[in-house]
Amino acid sequence: MRTTPGTVAELIARQWGDHRPGLMYGGSTHTAVLGRHRCAQEAAARAALLVDLMPAGRDAEPHIGVLLDNTPEFPFWLGAAALAGAAVAGINPTRRGPELARDILHTDCRILVTERAHLPLLRGLDLPGVRILVTDSEEYAALLAPYAGAKPGEAVLAAPAPGSRFLLYFTSGSTGAPKAAVCSQGRLAAAADSLVRQFSVTAEDVHYVCMPLFHGNAVIADWLPALAGGASVALRPRFSASGFLDDVRAYGATYFTYVGRAVQYLLATEPRPDDREHSLRLGFGTEAGAVDAARFAERFGVRLVEGYGATEGGASVQRTPDTPPGALGRAGAGDDLAVIDPQTGTECPPAELDARGRLLNGSAAIGELVNRGRSLFEGYWRNPEAQAARTRDGWYWTGDLFFRDADGFLYFAGRTDDRLRVDSENLAAAVIENILARWPAAVAVAVYAVPDEVAGDQVMAALALEEGERFSPEAFSAFLAAQPDLGTKMSPRYVRIVESMPVTATNKIHRAALRRSGFRCPDPVWWSPPGGSGYRPLEPEDLAALLAAYEAHGRAELLER
């Protein structure tokens, strides 16, 4: 009889002596397979190495930064941290310069595990007290060799317990700097067990991990449920739409997770007669959109299940068979979710929907999703201000906008602050503004989100130029390319050139007005089309094609909010 795990360390240790397939990598060209026992052995070896590497006077629960693609080393170090009673901070390789250094130092990483491909990101960074391990180096192999015979539980820094810190995963905040959400072993083990039950995961399943492991989606919704259910894990170093089906067939994958535009990228591949000849039975994630979920099911014969549950663990929405199109579901077990007007603190009225499911009373029905019941939120690392804001008045405030229909189903409606979500990455407008403000031709900069035509957001910037300056797309592109801390998701898709910034009565930039008009405004707008390079004017025919894409994906109404 299967028992509910109390810690992630227990899930790692359960693999010991089990020689069924546990980890696959290499893709369709040269698939390699490691048994579950070998995976536990590799984790135990790294746990023992970690214990010996920690300096005197070490922390009771030290933190390890992991800056890796989805290579076997990533789950090995996740397992090592769980066994040793340490925590992993997933470091995002799309961050740059001082922002990347800040992430590593803010989470108090004593060790940073990386690979040669990412070493250029670390050049010139001041990382005092951080020891760097390069996994594909001879030095690393020599360090690890003496611990090949280690067993789970032999080397610990602190005995793993349900309350032990296990993950520090970054989420973006309205004030710019990302916040590191604390995730304990017990909470994540219980979440994994819940997904095993929800999706009937068994030892016959193969979980395809193609989303980045530095993101909570891949670890919490893919890797951990595989461990809890006895399934195999198949790794893809980085997501590839063109390689997706070949990988699925090579691994015999049955389950995968997605975020952001991944589903759209898969749908954009050239259709093949054998698109339905595979083993996949389920995809689980966020932001696919109802239109693309239906197209995916029609083309590939695979059901996509949309979910809502922040890494912080403060609130969850669970889909049920009777969930209507466009809705995410109802409150998860134990949650008391309400849609609250943050100005008044009162509950918003139910949404009124027309026959096509369009919201008719958005100004009244949309509010912030709040959990008034028990919350699994475990706090932010070294950020008491953000933690207090999230849990004010004894409630958990998600920071996300929702509306609720008369039957209690919840619909996502955006975010309450100046955050943007681009290709599954949460970005903060203030960070991008600070970078764009360096451009000598600009006297004022505002960055804000406009809805993507398929899922999530795109970055739009309004620029007021120095007197006598004219916007040069070549100069602006060269400026962006020269900024060391401009992450790969931060470049504006749209640039609006304004005579002067719209301001409120208190002389603050009127962001609501900018967002409302978006790229449909009287000012000149330049854009960088998907797949292209540089900027060109947004012409009437471009605008018409964009609006048609919004309509086709059922997102046209987002442009009116």
Side-chain angles (χ1 to χ4, degrees), residues 94-443:
T94 70
R95 301 271 283 172
R96 295 291 185 271
E99 298 298 330
L100 178 61
R102 181 263 172 198
D103 291 351
I104 297 166
L105 296 176
H106 173 74
T107 46
D108 296 322
C109 293
R110 299 287 183 261
I111 293 172
L112 178 66
V113 181
T114 189
E115 55 193 310
R116 289 178 181 175
H118 291 320
L119 286 178
L121 300 178
L122 303 175
R123 287 178 189 150
L125 299 188
D126 185 17
L127 300 172
V130 180
R131 178 165 184 171
I132 298 174
L133 302 182
V134 183
T135 59
D136 46 356
S137 68
E138 293 182 1
E139 179 188 8
Y140 178 78
L143 276 174
L144 196 58
Y147 304 98
K151 297 179 181 180
E154 287 184 340
V156 298
L157 295 161
S164 300
R165 283 193 305 275
F166 176 54
L167 297 179
L168 297 173
Y169 268 139
F170 285 106
T171 62
S172 291
S174 59
T175 55
K179 304 181 293 291
V182 176
C183 306
S184 68
Q185 290 211 28
R187 175 163 73 86
L188 295 190
D193 190 68
S194 176
L195 286 175
V196 168
R197 298 175 190 275
Q198 181 180 350
F199 296 134
S200 302
V201 179
T202 72
E204 303 304 314
D205 281 304
V206 176
H207 284 211
Y208 179 48
V209 180
C210 55
M211 296 293 101
L213 281 164
F214 67 77
H215 191 279
N217 167 278
V219 172
I220 299 170
D222 212 344
W223 178 69
L224 279 171
L227 289 184
S232 303
V233 172
L235 293 178
R236 174 85 190 190
R238 295 187 180 185
F239 174 72
S240 168
S242 62
F244 181 85
L245 272 185
D246 289 338
D247 273 0
V248 164
R249 293 188 180 106
Y251 294 134
T254 60
Y255 170 99
F256 76 106
T257 61
Y258 61 87
V259 290
R261 299 170 67 95
V263 168
Q264 186 202 10
Y265 293 146
L266 291 171
L267 290 170
T269 59
E270 190 70 25
R272 298 174 2 188
D274 60 353
D275 276 344
R276 283 177 168 245
E277 295 176 12
H278 55 72
S279 50
L280 275 180
R281 65 181 179 87
L282 181 69
F284 177 55
T286 62
E287 300 183 24
V291 172
D292 281 343
R295 290 174 178 168
F296 196 88
E298 180 180 359
R299 176 173 167 183
F300 297 106
V302 178
R303 180 171 67 102
L304 299 184
V305 177
E306 289 277 299
Y308 175 87
T311 301
E312 291 100 319
S316 64
V317 178
Q318 293 185 353
R319 192 175 187 88
T320 54
D322 57 341
T323 300
L328 293 180
R330 292 190 174 98
D335 289 345
D336 177 14
L337 301 187
V339 178
I340 300 294
D341 182 338
Q343 301 300 317
T344 65
T346 60
E347 192 163 357
C348 297
E352 298 173 9
L353 306 173
D354 67 11
R356 295 179 59 186
R358 293 182 297 187
L359 182 62
L360 301 178
N361 63 334
S363 60
I366 293 176
E368 185 169 352
L369 187 68
V370 173
N371 188 356
R372 301 177 298 189
R374 65 107 176 95
S375 169
L376 297 179
F377 177 54
E378 297 174 294
Y380 293 122
W381 181 253
R382 288 175 47 195
N383 199 333
E385 295 83 6
Q387 186 165 319
R390 188 66 79 192
T391 57
R392 64 188 184 274
D393 302 323
W395 293 349
Y396 178 83
W397 297 74
T398 66
D400 291 322
L401 298 175
F402 273 74
F403 57 90
R404 188 180 219 149
D405 67 19
D407 296 319
F409 290 103
L410 291 159
Y411 299 70
F412 181 71
R415 288 167 176 82
T416 59
D417 49 30
D418 291 325
R419 286 179 293 174
L420 306 88
R421 188 168 176 83
V422 180
D423 286 347
S424 81
E425 290 292 327
N426 286 321
L427 308 176
V431 172
I432 307 174
E433 284 178 355
N434 290 337
I435 296 172
L436 299 189
R438 301 170 191 159
W439 194 35
V443 294

